[in-house]
Structure formats: structure tokens, C-alpha cells
Amino acid sequence: MTQDITFYFDFASPYAYFAAQRIDALAAAHGRTVRWTPVLLAALRQATGSPLAPEVPLKWAYVQRDLERTARLHDIAYRQPPGFPRFLLEPGRAMLWIRQEHGDAIATAFARNCFSAYFGDGVDIGDVAVLQGIAAALGVDRAALAAGMVAPAIKQLLKQESEHALASGVFGVPFVLADGAAFWGFDRLPHLQAQLASH
Amino acid sequence: MTQDITFYFDFASPYAYFAAQRIDALAAAHGRTVRWTPVLLAALRQATGSPLAPEVPLKWAYVQRDLERTARLHDIAYRQPPGFPRFLLEPGRAMLWIRQEHGDAIATAFARNCFSAYFGDGVDIGDVAVLQGIAAALGVDRAALAAGMVAPAIKQLLKQESEHALASGVFGVPFVLADGAAFWGFDRLPHLQAQLASH
């Protein structure tokens, strides 16, 4: 009952953004907390041999429409960010540095605000100045963040989180591990809910 | 309002079976009818370069658990059939011959009963004698079915249905086309429902 739920995401994934909008409230309704863990989707997909959605033209047009419909059906603010889709290393690195220096709560708030800025408001979270602004609102020093997030140990840590996730059976995002069970995709949050309710 | 909805499926797909359990009632609630169209999933996946789920070990264990949870959450009888997963050409061919000789309604009832026999009761629908039994219950002649379903034109027709589906943007199963919109996966039936309700 008291174990944490782990939520794996990549800041570049809109489905992860949708899950990010819901996961904490869902967990809290069952007296649980969530550990937010950034990973690199590209590293996970490589391991399964699955192409990323934007690499399959037939599928990509469909996914774009599915994103709009999913957002509408679940009443989540969503707009396709400029330059989407793209790889995003910066916010994950920034989050991990913040987690190391300021703890999980501030790091999670930072991640949540990054997601909303990117997919809700179309703000470029690949821009370090933007990340500094989001972090500063949470009391994080701008200069320390800019220096810390590019330290080799932090860059390495993001890769390690992806490797650890993969070793735990995580092969996509969003992904949730709870009480030994795995849930892949925003559309599986009802399954997670059923599992939490059954305990 | 009166246009048909097209439902694409492969008899080997449990997610297609789940959709098959719901699609007619969903459509009927909005005054719509469904045209059931068998396709070969392997042909569709080849076109997108995506491996089939059983080909990715990490993913396959997950999918098996997801199937059980999905069935439970939606209160659908489900058991993993013997020999699963496997390719199934026979029921699709039988259905297309029945459609040609007896019309859509009998063919759809046949398909529905094949799905229930396979995923509900674990009956081998790759066995022609089984297919003859399912068809006979609908008034179809056993000998005529056995001869008709292996005719070159019927074998070819199943391939053609897959090619036509692919040309219409279908890249997986279950897949629904309705009023120019595409819905992929059992988990997207709520999206279909929202679309039908909005018209």
C-alpha cells in the first residue's frame, strides 16, 4: 500500500505529457505517491527494434490526429509544439540535476511545468533560458542549473536512467511500474487504476 | 449519418476479438451499421516495418498480461487459445466465401462466432471441420464451404482485402474507418464513440 509508483517519461512524448497530467491525482486517490523518472525514448525503442512513430509516415499522420482526439476526449490542453517532433535532452538533464540538488518534489514540479509549457503553451523547452525560467519560479538558481545540467555526471545519469528502466522491463513511454505490474501508454491508466483499487 | 462503418480485423488478434465484442452495439447506439472486413495483420505490419508483438520478447510478456487485464476490465470472456500466437488464414477465407455466397449478415455472424470460439472457448478455428461446424449452425453447407474457401479466387480475395485496407490507411488491427476518420486499437473505441456522438 505504501510503495511508490514509478512513472517513466520522455519530455518529447505527448502521450507522456497526457499521463503527466493525470498520474499524481490517480495515485493520490489510492494513497500512493509517484516517482517521476525521465528516460530517453529513442534508447528504449532501439532495444525493441520498433521504429519511432514519426519514422513511419502512414502511422505518423494517424498519431497526430489521435493526439488531438485524446486531448479533447480527456479535456487536456494540447497543441503541437513548434519543431515537433524532436529529441529533447535538456529538460531531462535539468530535472536530474534539480533532483540531485533540491530533491524529488522540486524536480517533479519542474518536470510538470516543463510538460505544460511545451505541450500546453508551445514554449521551447530545449532552450536553456526557458528551463532556467521554469526552474527559477521554483527557487532554483539559474546559473547553477545552467552549469549543473551539462556536467558529464548528469549527462551520464540520464543515459543510466534509461538503461535501468530497460532492465526493469520498460520499453516505451509513458510507462508505469506499480507493485510489480507494468503499464504502457496513457491509455492504460484505467488499468493502473483498477490495479491500485484492487489492493 | 447512414454511411457504413468499416471494421478491419485479423482472426489471430485478441485485441480485434475484443473490438468484435463491442463494435456492433457501439455502432447501433448511433444508428449505424458495421461492415466486417478480414485482413492479414502480417501484411499490414510488413508495410509499416513494425515487428509483430510476439517477435519482441520484452513486449510479448507485457502484451499477454495486458490482454488478461483488458478482458477483465471490460468484462469480456478471454483465454489464450492453444498454440497462440499463430497465423490464421482459414477463417478469413471461409468468411469471404460465405460473404460471397450468403451475404454480409451471415458472414458477420460467422466471424463473430469464430472469434468467440477461438478466444472465448479455446477452439481451434484453423481446423476446417471446426469452421464447417460454425458455418453449418448458420445454415451454410459444409461441403460447399470446404471446397469454396480454398478456391484460388477466395485465397486471392483475402490478400486483396489486405491491400485495399492498406491503401485506405489501415496499418494494424483492429482498425475502424468511419466518416473519413481512422481508429486503431480496441482502446480507441471511446474515440470512435465520441466521433459518432458528435455527428
Side-chain angles (χ1 to χ4, degrees), chain A residues 8 27 48 64 66 73 87 101-102 108 115-116 120 131 137 150 157 159 162 171:
Chain A
Y8 298 91
T48 63
Q64 290 181 288
D66 185 63
L73 193 64
F87 293 108
E101 299 296 317
H102 297 270
T108 298
F115 265 132
S116 295
L131 296 175
V150 294
L157 187 55
K159 286 182 202 163
S162 304
F171 53 81

Side-chain angles (χ1 to χ4, degrees), chain A residues 122-173:
Chain A
V123 173
D124 178 7
I125 59 169
D127 181 340
V128 173
V130 166
L131 296 175
Q132 288 177 302
I134 293 171
L138 297 164
V140 175
D141 184 77
R142 290 173 192 258
L145 172 65
M149 65 182 275
V150 294
I154 289 295
K155 290 184 177 181
Q156 189 55 30
L157 187 55
L158 184 55
K159 286 182 202 163
Q160 283 170 352
E161 290 283 14
S162 304
E163 286 157 18
H164 291 163
L166 200 55
S168 303
V170 176
F171 53 81
V173 295

Side-chain angles (χ1 to χ4, degrees), chain A residues 42-120:
Chain A
L44 304 181
R45 296 306 286 264
Q46 218 167 12
T48 63
S50 294
L52 294 162
E55 296 167 355
V56 184
L58 194 61
K59 216 167 182 172
W60 181 233
Y62 172 83
V63 166
Q64 290 181 288
R65 228 158 276 136
D66 185 63
L67 289 168
E68 288 159 22
R69 288 195 303 232
T70 301
R72 199 162 53 236
L73 193 64
H74 293 272
D75 200 21
I76 296 174
Y78 171 74
R79 60 198 246 184
Q80 190 167 297
F84 180 82
R86 53 189 280 218
F87 293 108
L88 280 169
L89 295 167
E90 296 81 0
R93 291 173 177 171
M95 181 191 173
L96 290 176
W97 180 82
I98 292 170
R99 189 174 81 187
Q100 182 181 283
E101 299 296 317
H102 297 270
D104 255 333
I106 302 287
T108 298
F110 173 78
R112 201 183 290 115
N113 294 349
C114 283
F115 265 132
S116 295
Y118 189 50
F119 289 110

Side-chain angles (χ1 to χ4, degrees), chain A residues 15 45 48-51 56 58-59 62 66 69-70 73 166 169-171 175 181-184 187-188 190-191 194-195, chain B residues 15 45 48-51 56 58-59 62 66 69-70 73 166 169-171 175 181-184 187-188 190-191 194:
Chain A
Y15 294 110
R45 296 306 286 264
T48 63
S50 294
V56 184
L58 194 61
K59 216 167 182 172
Y62 172 83
D66 185 63
R69 288 195 303 232
T70 301
L73 193 64
L166 200 55
V170 176
F171 53 81
F175 210 99
F183 304 89
W184 175 40
D187 47 29
R188 290 313 187 261
H191 291 212
Q195 154 121 353
Chain B
Y15 293 110
R45 296 307 284 265
T48 62
S50 293
V56 184
L58 194 60
K59 216 168 183 171
Y62 172 84
D66 184 63
R69 288 195 302 232
T70 301
L73 193 64
L166 199 54
V170 176
F171 53 80
F175 209 100
F183 304 89
W184 175 40
D187 46 29
R188 290 312 188 260
H191 290 211

Side-chain angles (χ1 to χ4, degrees), chain B residues 6-49:
Chain B
T6 310
F7 168 50
Y8 298 92
F9 61 92
D10 182 316
F11 284 99
S13 161
Y15 293 110
Y17 160 67
F18 296 153
Q21 299 299 105
R22 294 288 181 266
I23 188 77
D24 288 311
L26 195 166
H30 299 281
R32 305 286 291 263
T33 57
V34 179
R35 181 172 170 89
W36 289 44
T37 302
V39 293
L40 297 170
L41 176 58
L44 305 181
R45 296 307 284 265
Q46 218 167 12
T48 62

